[in-house]
Amino acid sequence: ARRTFVYCRGVVLPRHRCRSYRGRKAPGNRRRRPMKQIIVMRKDLKMRRGKEIAQGSHAAMAWMSHLLVNGGEMTPDQRAWLEGNFAKVCVQVNSEAELREVHQRALDAGLDAHLITDLGMTEFHGVPTLTCCAIGPHADEVLRPITGHLSLY
């Protein structure tokens, strides 16, 4: 039989050892809203796969780096995401203008949003280029009006 492993309570366990996969809920989880972070990636740049992964990783860590550097505090939603499953969804846009528009809509809605600019050292011929944006982590229902229309990457 093939064993399935899951990320459960901060460690990797066989699926049968994680309570949440056996139908039991952990105390206090009943009222938690689904939390996630959205990574918005520019598809028009045709980046190499490794470059896309690196840029998405920079975006995913941008909100936490910002908190640590500026001495901010996490919201209850951010803490729930951090203590949960770190859900991320990568969606695509087709231009810098579209990336900026999504980023601005997120900011206008009061959400954490961080644009990532590649310095152009390995691609883009030395020209700094906006590659992606991270929005959140926030509750799914808060993110849906901002990014729900975008296609999965």
Side-chain angles (χ1 to χ4, degrees):
R2 191 172 141 188
R3 293 183 83 182
T4 304
F5 292 87
V6 295
Y7 187 77
C8 182
R9 292 170 289 181
V11 296
V12 176
L13 295 172
R15 186 166 123 173
H16 72 277
R17 301 241 352 245
C18 184
R19 289 183 206 193
S20 62
Y21 280 87
R22 291 191 298 189
R24 284 187 251 146
K25 301 215 183 249
N29 279 351
R30 289 185 192 99
R31 291 191 182 105
R32 280 199 180 154
R33 303 180 297 171
M35 303 296 300
K36 63 184 174 184
Q37 185 179 51
I38 305 290
I39 308 297
V40 184
M41 187 73 63
R42 281 183 63 189
K43 191 169 183 177
D44 63 308
L45 295 175
K46 299 187 184 342
M47 293 179 275
R48 291 175 291 118
R49 184 66 62 197
K51 177 59 97 175
E52 289 175 337
I53 292 167
Q55 296 301 301
S57 297
H58 293 322
M61 290 303 300
W63 75 273
M64 184 177 284
S65 298
H66 182 77
L67 283 178
L68 292 172
V69 169
N70 296 315
E73 291 187 29
M74 279 189 243
T75 66
D77 282 351
Q78 290 169 337
R79 182 160 300 283
W81 179 80
L82 192 59
E83 293 172 352
N85 65 3
F86 291 53
K88 294 175 191 65
V89 176
C90 191
V91 296
Q92 61 185 315
V93 293
N94 294 310
S95 68
E96 180 178 331
E98 194 175 356
L99 179 67
R100 287 183 183 276
E101 177 188 336
V102 170
H103 177 255
Q104 191 59 52
R105 287 178 57 208
L107 292 176
D108 292 346
L111 304 180
D112 286 315
H114 301 276
L115 280 172
I116 302 301
T117 302
D118 183 72
L119 295 179
M121 304 286 238
T122 58
E123 291 190 28
F124 313 124
H125 309 292
V127 177
T129 305
L130 287 174
T131 57
C132 60
C133 167
I135 304 172
H138 291 291
D140 183 49
E141 70 266 12
V142 174
L143 294 166
R144 197 173 300 122
I146 308 299
T147 60
H149 66 287
L150 299 173
S151 299
L152 293 174
Y153 194 89

